[in-house]
């Protein structure tokens, strides 16, 4: 049992948990504890230290989009993303639901709304109160400062006009041709201007102090506002649900359209003369409308989880394309030095090209094949992103495959020679299996590169996905969206990690010498 | 015309400016059904000789022939058992043998093939290790697997390169008997490389020493005229056996001494230079 678990962990690439299992079975407890500290405790501590440092540093930098979000803000916005996703799903269900289920839902939502109404009122009230309070507090804090400001301003104004007057008086005493006196005068005026500047600056300092007090973070106000927003959002959500369950519901719309059609038909059967023509036209239109409604779907906005899934689909498509191109070419390169020599310049030339360059080119080329993006089976932006991913990520696989095939053990080839294996047998029974570990090592790198490239490609091509999400959030520019970009960082990291782990598992399955495959 | 022959074969490795001539003027002729043991010190070129017979290497001059036809490529009629086993590490014990069997006997039915392969696995006592990969086997087990694979090909000529070197004494004697049995049963021709004089004497019809390299060549052969079957328990007291073994051993030692002498003479030609004391010059 123990060894089965250990083996499963090993294959699943979860070797970190190995000491935990061993400890549970009381195998060399001291050694296992040491390992747990080393491989589990220390990484966790480091991560916590990172979070603490982040929480400390982040609020100390304010940007146009507000403060840099702290871990807890990011966590909240991750939760918000999830709530939004779930709500959209419920709304879509509401749009489709029919019959008794619909009635039941309407009753539920109405009850909830009723319950929320007083809550909303209360929240509103509290917000108002908080606002009043905040205003009063600000007033209180600002008033004395304002008095100081006014007083100082008055003083400075007085002083300035006094100096001016004095200088004017002095000017009268200066005679023609008295250069020394003139020079002296010039200096005095300079001093006057400098003094004025200094005073203006002092005033500015007081003003900024007032601004700080005027614009305080009233804890109570912020809390009240968030509370209200939360309730208001919920109310809005429920109202929208009611709409989708009611008039906006697909079934309801279909029923209405059918009824309209019936009416038109009735009218038509009774009409005569010119009205007959219009009646027929009306029936035609009503039928059209019914057809449209029947096939219509709920216009659901893209939610982040849906975008993640789409990004995964995109990277997978790109990865498959890359594999289909890279592995055969790599094998040919490995088998034939001539082919390798022929390909080397192309490989070296295209390998370093960035996705930012590939994407527009691919986009235009793909666009040339697809006339109407909305009608196409795959969206051209999606396809271009996938192809860009393929173009950027196929190189590690290609190079590794070529290397793996070229470095095949001579002894293994000798076996093939003695057995007189034909070309295909030699390829599939000797060459490819022996190169497989290296091919998979290449595929693993490729997938990592592809995942990195994908975000940039989506961002550029506006293909729905994580990249697009980041771009939208960036253009939104509020502190809420700023926090959501941080969520993206973690999501991209975690998904990338999981992709890598998956590839490690595959790598383990094809490696035959029992050698470990990196960490 | 003999069954398998080498005629004035020379072979060397490396570019012309740093060339090592491994074998020079090797002449060998093996009759059909004959069991020939070639003994020699390590590095003298025994494996190279086997490669030539197998057709994996081509001689620089001279020719290698089988049944009168020049050997120009390897083939399953000459089953080689490589010194380093050359097992395919991604295939299990069973699959390693299966690959060879499928290729050599394409018409064999599936059920028959399974039995056939199992027979050879049992023969080398790898039963219950069928699904292990080579890296999970010990050195001796790998060697046995390699032997089983070669035998399963039922080649006309068995070219065995130190086939039993990694085995313990007991397993070794069992497999020696097994090789002899197969050789007698199917009337095949065997060229076996070994560095064990006892082994050569017990098994072979003829022992041919290879002189130490470079430029190794085959020396005068020793005929082994002990009656078969040879029983190793009584053989140890057989005076003919003892005498032959001693003669071969003595010969090997003497050629080795000679070679060493040659080498040392070559190497010891020191330049006639006296060290100069830098202090005095300065
Ligand atoms: N492919 C090769 N390239 C260069 N030298 C080789 C090669 N194969 C063998 N040799 C040389 O040939 C000599 C004989 O090797 P080998 O036939 O393996 O000896 P043995 O099997 O008797 O121990 C050695 O000195 C070795 O260095
Ligand atoms: Mg050798």
């Amino acid at each position: 049992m123990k060894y089965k678990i250990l083996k499963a962990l090993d294959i699943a690439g979860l070797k970190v948990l190995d000491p935990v299992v061993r400890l549970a079975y009381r195998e060399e407890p001291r050694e296992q504890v040491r390992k747990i500290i080393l491989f589990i405790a220390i990484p966790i501590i480091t991560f916590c230290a990172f979070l603490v440092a982040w929480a400390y540093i982040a609020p100390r930098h304010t940007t146009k989009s507000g403060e840099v979000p702290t871990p807890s803000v990011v966590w909240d916005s991750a939760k918000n993303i999830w709530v939004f996703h779930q709500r959209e799903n419920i709304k879509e269900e509401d749009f489709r639901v029919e019959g008794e289920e619909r009635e039941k839902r309407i009753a539920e939502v109405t009850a909830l709304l009723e319950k929320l109404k007083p809550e909303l009122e209360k929240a509103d009230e509290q917000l108002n109160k908080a606002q009043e309070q905040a205003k009063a507090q600000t007033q209180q804090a600002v008033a004395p400062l304002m008095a100081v400001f006014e007083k100082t301003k008055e003083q400075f104004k007085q002083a300035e006009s006094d100096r001016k007057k004095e200088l004017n008086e002095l000017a009268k005493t200066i005679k023609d041709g008295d250069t020394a006196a003139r020079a002296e005068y010039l200096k005095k005026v300079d001093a006057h201007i400098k003094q004025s500047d200094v005073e203006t600056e002092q005033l500015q300092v007081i003003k900024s102090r007032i601004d700080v007090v005027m614009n305080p973070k009233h804890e109570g106000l912020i809390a009240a506002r968030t509370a209200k927003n939360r309730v208001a959002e919920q109310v809005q959500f429920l109202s929208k649900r009611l709409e989708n369950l009611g008039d906006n519901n697909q079934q309801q719309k279909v029923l209405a359209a059918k009824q309209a059609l019936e009416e038109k038909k009735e009218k038509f059967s009774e009409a005569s003369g010119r009205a007959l023509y219009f009646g027929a036209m009306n029936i035609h239109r009503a039928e059209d409308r019914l057809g449209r409604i029947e096939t219509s779907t709920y216009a659901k906005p893209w939610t982040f989880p849906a975008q993640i899934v789409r990004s995964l689909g995109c990277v997978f498509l790109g990865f498959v394309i890359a594999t289909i191109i890279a592995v055969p070419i790599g094998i040919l390169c490995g088998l034939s030095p001539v082919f390798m020599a022929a390909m080397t310049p192309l490989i070296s030339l295209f390998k370093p090209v960035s996705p930012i360059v590939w994407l527009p080119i691919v986009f235009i080329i793909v666009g040339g094949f697809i006339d109407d993006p909305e009608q196409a089976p795959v969206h051209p932006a999606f396809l271009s992103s996938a192809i860009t991913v393929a173009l950027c990520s196929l190189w590690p696989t290609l190079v590794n495959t070529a290397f793996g095939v070229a470095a095949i053990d001579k002894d293994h080839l000798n076996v093939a020679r003695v057995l007189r294996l034909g070309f295909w047998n030699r390829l599939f029974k000797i060459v490819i299996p022996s190169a497989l570990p290296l091919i998979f090592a290449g595929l693993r790198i490729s997938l990592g590169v592809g995942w990195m490239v994908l975000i940039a490609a989506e961002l550029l091509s506006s293909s729905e996905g994580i990249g697009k999400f980041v771009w939208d959030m960036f253009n939104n520019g509020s502190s809420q969206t700023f926090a959501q970009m941080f969520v993206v960082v973690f999501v991209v990291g975690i998904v990338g990690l999981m992709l890598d782990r998956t590839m490690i598992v595959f790598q383990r399955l094809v490696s035959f010498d029992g050698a470990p495959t990196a960490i | 015309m003999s069954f398998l022959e080498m005629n004035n074969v020379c072979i060397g490795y490396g570019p012309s400016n740093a060339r090592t001539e491994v074998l020079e003027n090797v002449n060998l002729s093996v009759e059909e059904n004959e069991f020939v043991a070639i003994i020699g010190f390590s590095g003298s070129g025994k494996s190279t000789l086997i490669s030539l017979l197998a057709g994996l290497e081509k001689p620089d001059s001279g020719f290698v022939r089988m049944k009168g036809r020049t050997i120009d490529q390897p083939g399953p009629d000459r089953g080689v058992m490589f010194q380093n086993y050359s097992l395919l590490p991604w295939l299990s014990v069973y699959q390693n043998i299966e690959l060879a069997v499928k290729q050599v006997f394409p018409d064999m039915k599936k059920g028959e093939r399974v039995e056939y392969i199992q027979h050879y696995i049992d023969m080398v006592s790898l039963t219950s290790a069928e699904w292990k990969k080579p890296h999970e086997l010990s050195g001796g087990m790998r060697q046995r697997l390699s032997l089983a694979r070669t035998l399963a090909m039922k080649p006309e000529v068995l070219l065995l390169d130190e086939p039993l070197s990694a085995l313990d004494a007991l397993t070794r004697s069992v497999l020696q008997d097994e090789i002899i049995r197969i050789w007698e049963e199917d009337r095949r021709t065997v060229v076996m490389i070994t560095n064990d004089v006892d082994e050569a004497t017990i098994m072979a019809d003829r022992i041919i020493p290879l002189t130490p390299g470079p430029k190794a060549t085959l020396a005068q052969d020793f005929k082994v005229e002990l009656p078969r079957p040879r029983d190793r328990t009584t053989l140890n007291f057989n005076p003919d056996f003892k005498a032959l073994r001693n003669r071969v051993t003595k010969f090997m030692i003497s050629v080795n001494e000679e070679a060493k002498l040659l080498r040392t003479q070559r190497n010891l030609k020191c330049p006639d230079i006296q060290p100069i004391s830098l202090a005095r010059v300065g």
Side-chain angles (χ1 to χ4, degrees):
Chain A
M1 186 62 200
K2 173 175 139 193
Y3 286 101
K4 264 188 195 154
I5 296 176
L6 290 180
K7 179 118 199 196
L9 284 180
D10 185 29
I11 288 175
L14 293 171
K15 229 169 151 90
V16 249
L17 296 180
D18 187 294
V20 179
V21 175
R22 284 182 197 272
L23 188 65
Y25 281 94
R26 308 244 163 273
E27 183 189 315
E28 291 183 282
R30 296 195 60 176
E31 175 66 13
Q32 305 314 333
V33 168
R34 190 187 69 81
K35 276 192 188 155
I36 288 174
I37 290 175
L38 188 59
F39 296 120
I40 299 177
I42 289 185
I44 289 177
I45 290 169
T46 320
F47 191 74
C48 291
F50 163 72
L51 286 182
V52 169
W54 173 15
Y56 177 79
I57 295 168
R60 262 143 257 269
H61 179 60
T62 311
T63 67
K64 257 188 269 173
S65 309
E67 275 168 10
V68 175
T70 58
S72 69
V73 173
V74 171
W75 178 242
D76 281 342
S77 84
K79 280 196 287 197
N80 283 344
I81 288 175
W82 184 241
V83 168
F84 177 65
H85 172 67
Q86 280 180 322
R87 284 183 175 172
E88 283 305 323
N89 281 349
I90 292 174
K91 280 199 242 172
E92 191 185 15
E93 276 174 28
D94 288 345
F95 175 76
R96 284 219 213 93
V97 83
E98 328 174 341
E100 247 172 66
E101 173 69 18
R102 190 179 74 92
E103 305 287 338
K104 214 175 91 193
R105 283 188 177 212
I106 290 180
E108 262 173 32
V109 174
T110 322
L112 276 175
L113 259 179
E114 280 309 313
K115 232 170 54 192
L116 274 181
K117 241 178 212 155
E119 238 175 89
L120 182 62
E121 271 163 31
K122 214 169 95 194
D124 243 343
E125 213 170 277
Q126 255 162 10
L127 179 60
N128 277 340
K129 222 157 77 189
Q131 261 164 348
E132 291 293 325
Q133 221 172 11
K135 220 166 163 185
Q137 261 178 21
T138 319
Q139 280 302 329
Q140 221 174 17
V142 169
L145 272 174
M146 213 52 188
V148 171
F149 179 73
E150 291 299 337
K151 213 171 110 200
T152 326
K153 199 169 155 190
E154 209 47 49
Q155 272 175 8
F156 285 165
K157 220 172 172 180
Q158 191 59 46
E160 194 179 11
S161 72
D162 285 353
R163 287 200 306 271
K164 222 157 138 188
K165 225 190 264 168
E166 209 177 292
L167 284 170
N168 277 336
E169 292 297 321
L170 190 64
K172 284 178 194 156
T173 64
I174 294 174
K175 295 180 192 86
D176 287 358
D178 188 351
T179 28
R182 273 166 203 269
E184 186 70 13
Y185 187 72
L186 198 59
K187 263 189 206 154
K188 281 221 166 103
V189 173
D190 268 352
H192 160 65
I193 292 171
K194 252 184 213 146
Q195 183 61 26
S196 296
D197 284 350
V198 167
E199 282 165 359
T200 318
E201 214 163 273
Q202 272 173 9
L203 274 179
Q204 211 66 67
V205 169
I206 300 175
K207 187 103 190 9
S208 64
R209 218 151 55 203
I210 291 172
D211 281 347
V212 169
V213 183
M214 283 278 274
N215 197 4
K217 280 196 209 158
H218 281 288
E219 298 281 330
L221 184 58
I222 292 174
R225 195 172 284 145
T226 357
K228 196 222 143 165
N229 281 350
R230 202 168 47 225
V231 183
E233 251 172 43
Q234 217 160 354
V235 168
Q236 203 203 358
F237 164 61
L238 290 173
S239 318
K240 185 81 196 158
R241 277 194 71 178
L242 269 188
E243 259 175 51
N244 281 0
L245 286 165
D247 295 343
N248 208 11
N249 184 275
Q250 187 172 30
Q251 192 64 20
Q252 294 303 105
K253 283 202 282 192
V254 169
L255 284 179
K258 271 188 181 152
Q259 205 179 345
L261 182 61
E262 281 310 310
E263 276 168 22
K264 299 273 150 68
K265 276 186 176 161
E266 211 157 294
K267 258 192 191 160
F268 179 71
S269 68
E270 286 162 7
S272 60
R274 257 176 80 76
L276 207 60
Y277 173 74
F278 287 114
M281 280 300 266
N282 280 340
I283 288 178
H284 181 76
R285 274 196 215 120
E287 271 170 353
D288 260 9
R289 208 174 115 70
L290 181 61
R292 269 206 309 280
I293 290 172
E294 270 173 342
T295 55
S296 72
T297 52
Y298 175 60
K300 188 179 172 187
W302 279 97
T303 62
F304 188 47
Q307 284 170 317
I308 296 174
V309 172
R310 194 166 156 98
S311 281
L312 279 172
C314 192
V315 84
F316 186 70
L317 179 62
F319 181 63
V320 168
I321 297 174
T323 309
I324 290 173
I325 297 173
V327 171
I329 294 184
I331 290 174
L332 284 178
C333 282
L335 287 178
S336 149
V338 177
F339 193 76
M340 173 84 107
M343 290 300 290
T344 303
L346 290 181
I347 295 174
S348 335
L349 184 66
F350 292 137
K351 197 162 70 163
V353 176
S354 139
I356 315 285
V357 183
W358 281 127
L359 187 90
I361 298 173
V362 173
F363 201 78
I364 293 169
I365 293 176
V366 169
F369 288 105
I370 297 173
D371 294 326
D372 183 0
E374 301 309 323
Q375 298 295 314
V378 275
H379 199 283
F382 181 80
L383 195 57
S384 321
S385 304
I387 293 175
T388 306
V389 166
L391 282 175
C392 294
S393 69
L394 62 84
W395 311 108
T397 303
L398 202 163
V399 173
N400 262 33
T401 306
F403 182 68
V405 170
I408 179 172
D409 198 331
K410 203 159 170 268
D411 294 338
H412 300 160
L413 281 181
N414 276 345
V415 172
R417 287 174 69 196
V418 168
L419 289 173
R420 294 230 183 115
L421 291 180
F423 175 78
W424 294 110
N425 262 338
R426 188 180 296 206
L427 186 64
F428 284 110
K429 295 204 168 141
I430 311 281
V431 173
I432 292 179
S434 110
L436 217 47
L438 265 174
I439 294 178
F440 267 78
L443 286 175
R444 182 177 153 210
I445 303 171
S446 283
L447 189 57
V449 171
W451 182 241
M452 272 209 302
V453 165
L454 174 76
I455 314 287
E458 282 178 342
L459 195 147
L460 266 176
S461 71
S462 286
S463 168
E464 282 301 341
I466 298 177
K468 174 97 182 314
F469 181 81
V470 173
W471 187 237
D472 290 346
M473 292 303 113
F474 174 69
N475 286 333
N476 246 332
S478 76
S479 68
Q480 182 60 32
T481 53
F482 194 21
Q484 290 184 345
M485 287 197 252
F486 277 71
V487 176
V488 171
V489 171
F490 286 94
V491 168
V492 170
I494 291 168
V495 173
L497 180 77
M498 288 194 311
L499 290 177
D500 194 48
R501 288 274 134 186
T502 319
M503 286 311 288
I504 289 182
V505 174
F506 283 120
Q507 224 180 324
R508 302 262 357 195
L509 290 179
V510 298
S511 83
F512 40 74
D513 44 8
T517 43
I519 45 168
Chain B
M1 186 188 68
S2 39
F3 185 71
L4 194 61
E5 60 182 326
M6 294 175 94
N7 216 320
N8 284 329
V9 167
C10 299
I11 188 170
Y13 292 108
S16 52
N17 57 348
R19 195 156 175 84
T20 45
E21 297 296 338
V22 178
L23 296 177
E24 198 171 66
N25 288 329
V26 173
N27 287 297
L28 171 72
S29 75
V30 182
E31 297 305 321
E32 191 160 11
N33 304 337
E34 199 182 8
F35 195 128
V36 171
I38 291 172
I39 61 173
F41 295 97
S42 80
S44 54
K46 305 185 295 295
S47 298
T48 311
L49 189 87
I50 286 284
S51 294
L52 284 165
L53 288 171
L56 290 164
E57 302 275 358
K58 287 209 175 67
D60 295 334
S61 64
F63 50 82
V64 187
R65 279 195 288 223
M66 180 171 163
K67 294 196 243 174
R69 290 234 304 278
T70 304
I71 292 174
D72 51 5
Q73 63 163 336
D77 55 336
R78 277 151 287 136
V80 200
M81 178 184 163
F82 296 95
Q83 188 175 14
N84 51 10
Y85 320 141
S86 293
L87 301 169
L88 303 178
W90 55 90
L91 297 181
S92 65
V93 168
Y94 182 88
Q95 290 167 323
N96 259 293
I97 301 179
E98 189 188 34
L99 177 73
V101 172
K102 260 189 177 166
Q103 184 66 19
V104 180
F105 307 107
D107 301 329
M108 202 184 268
K109 295 221 169 44
K110 182 149 195 286
E112 195 187 343
R113 190 170 65 223
V114 172
E115 245 172 61
Y116 183 82
I117 295 169
Q118 193 60 49
H119 168 74
Y120 280 95
I121 291 176
D122 295 343
M123 185 207 294
V124 294
S125 341
L126 284 177
T127 324
S128 83
E130 286 103 333
W131 301 109
K132 284 198 173 143
K133 298 276 167 71
H135 71 90
E136 296 166 304
L137 303 177
S138 73
M141 286 163 97
R142 286 180 217 181
Q143 196 165 35
R144 268 149 36 201
L145 170 57
S146 179
L147 180 64
R149 181 178 64 182
T150 309
L151 294 178
M153 285 158 60
K154 292 221 168 153
E156 283 179 66
V157 183
L158 275 168
L159 304 170
L160 309 174
D161 193 350
E162 305 198 14
L164 309 172
S165 59
L167 302 180
D168 60 283
L170 275 174
T171 322
R172 201 173 170 137
S173 58
V174 171
L175 284 176
Q176 278 170 2
D177 292 346
E178 197 62 43
I179 293 173
I180 293 288
R181 194 184 60 72
I182 287 170
W183 164 70
E184 280 178 339
E185 193 178 277
D186 300 340
R187 296 275 98 196
R188 283 182 243 179
T189 310
V190 178
V191 176
M192 182 178 82
I193 304 284
T194 178
N195 48 24
D196 180 345
V197 179
D198 276 23
E199 184 172 277
T201 321
I202 291 170
M203 295 175 79
D205 292 331
R206 201 145 58 94
I207 302 173
I208 311 177
L210 188 66
T211 61
K215 298 191 181 174
T217 189
L218 291 172
Q220 183 57 50
D221 57 2
F222 294 86
K223 287 234 157 31
V224 186
E225 273 150 354
L226 299 166
R228 290 182 191 267
R230 296 171 188 165
D231 181 356
R232 73 183 69 245
T233 45
T234 54
L235 217 50
N236 265 326
F237 308 103
N238 184 326
D240 289 344
F241 171 77
K242 281 201 272 192
L244 179 63
R245 192 179 62 183
N246 289 343
R247 260 167 54 217
V248 175
T249 311
K250 246 188 214 137
F251 177 80
M252 291 312 292
I253 292 170
S254 74
V255 287
N256 194 34
E257 292 288 314
E258 247 172 63
K260 239 191 220 159
L261 220 62
L262 273 172
R263 243 173 301 171
T264 44
Q265 271 174 1
R266 230 191 346 239
N267 290 349
L268 276 182
K269 255 194 196 140
C270 287
D272 190 20
I273 302 170
Q274 292 296 319
I276 307 167
S277 169
L278 286 173
R280 216 183 298 164
V281 173

